[in-house]
Amino acid sequence: MSLVLDPAAQDLLFREARTANTFTDEPVTDEQVQAIYDLVKYGPTAFNQCPLRITLVRSPEARERLVQHLAEGNRAKTATAPLVAILSADNEFHEELPALLPHYPQAKDAFFSERSARESAAALNASLQAAYFIVGVRAAGLAAGPMTGMDFEGVRKEFLDDDHTPLMVVNIGHPGPDAWFPRLPRLAYEDVVTTV
């Protein structure tokens, strides 16, 4: 059985998509980021909790503050990317549930009254949304460079608050020269799928 999605779109979103390590200086506009979000916001999350929060790092001063919290190997590419997004999980996402889950507004208190339950749910569901966001960046014809090599607590203190947990930094832009490392192997279907 073949996929319904056009093969060129399959390549763009998955087969040819890799982490970009260099970028051109062509800017990424707010309109592009909004178009990406307006597409990926429809990806499913449990209880429609939508805990992903996106902090766009545009100013040189903010970029410098972020770079100091990154692993050495991630600093140069983040310093030169046209746009950098800090993706985080909002641990107070439950406050939005009455609007996001109007048929079951009591879910806010029934399932998420305790901070530990919210943190666990937010981490999982915001990570799902982060994956949607990366695919959305690719759908916009841009390259994404997601990274987790950073001082998470330093990033949280510098850019977020106690209610937000950083998940990753994503460099965004048009790929520059030698942007890609060689494609690494993937596991085969039979190594991943078990039928019971």
Side-chain angles (χ1 to χ4, degrees):
M1 176 182 159
S2 63
L3 299 173
V4 174
L5 188 65
D6 176 86
Q10 294 174 38
D11 288 343
L12 177 71
L13 299 179
F14 295 101
R15 283 192 289 263
E16 298 299 323
R18 289 180 279 165
T19 295
N21 294 289
T22 68
F23 298 90
T24 69
D25 59 3
E26 185 176 344
V28 176
T29 67
D30 289 338
E31 292 77 17
Q32 287 172 300
V33 177
Q34 182 166 352
I36 291 165
Y37 176 74
D38 286 342
L39 173 65
V40 304
K41 69 183 179 183
Y42 294 109
T45 57
F47 291 98
N48 198 34
Q49 52 190 254
C50 303
L52 181 70
R53 300 297 178 263
I54 303 166
T55 303
L56 299 179
V57 180
R58 285 202 181 276
S59 75
E61 298 79 17
R63 184 80 57 107
E64 189 174 310
R65 288 171 29 225
L66 174 60
V67 166
Q68 70 180 343
H69 295 291
L70 301 180
E72 185 65 38
N74 292 335
R75 291 179 178 177
K77 49 191 164 186
T78 299
T80 58
L83 179 63
V84 181
I86 301 169
L87 304 187
S88 64
D90 181 358
N91 296 308
E92 297 298 312
F93 69 86
H94 69 307
E95 296 296 343
E96 304 292 340
L97 281 182
L100 293 173
L101 201 66
H103 64 281
Y104 189 32
Q106 59 270 37
K108 172 188 172 192
D109 298 315
F111 296 101
F112 303 111
S113 61
E114 294 185 20
R115 175 73 179 220
S116 60
R118 292 195 305 274
E119 287 178 351
S120 177
L124 173 62
N125 288 280
S127 294
L128 283 173
Q129 289 186 286
Y132 305 148
F133 181 80
I134 292 165
V135 173
V137 168
R138 294 170 178 166
L142 299 167
M147 304 176 302
T148 57
M150 62 180 172
D151 171 5
F152 284 85
E153 184 60 15
V155 170
R156 187 193 62 74
K157 286 181 179 177
E158 192 76 42
F159 293 96
L160 307 171
D161 59 33
D162 289 341
D163 292 331
H164 293 80
T165 303
L167 301 171
M168 67 184 67
V169 167
V170 182
N171 296 324
I172 304 169
H174 293 274
D178 301 317
W180 320 115
F181 294 145
R183 168 69 77 190
L184 295 173
R186 296 297 192 267
L187 294 173
Y189 176 86
E190 57 272 11
D191 296 327
V192 175
V193 177
T194 303
T195 303
V196 294

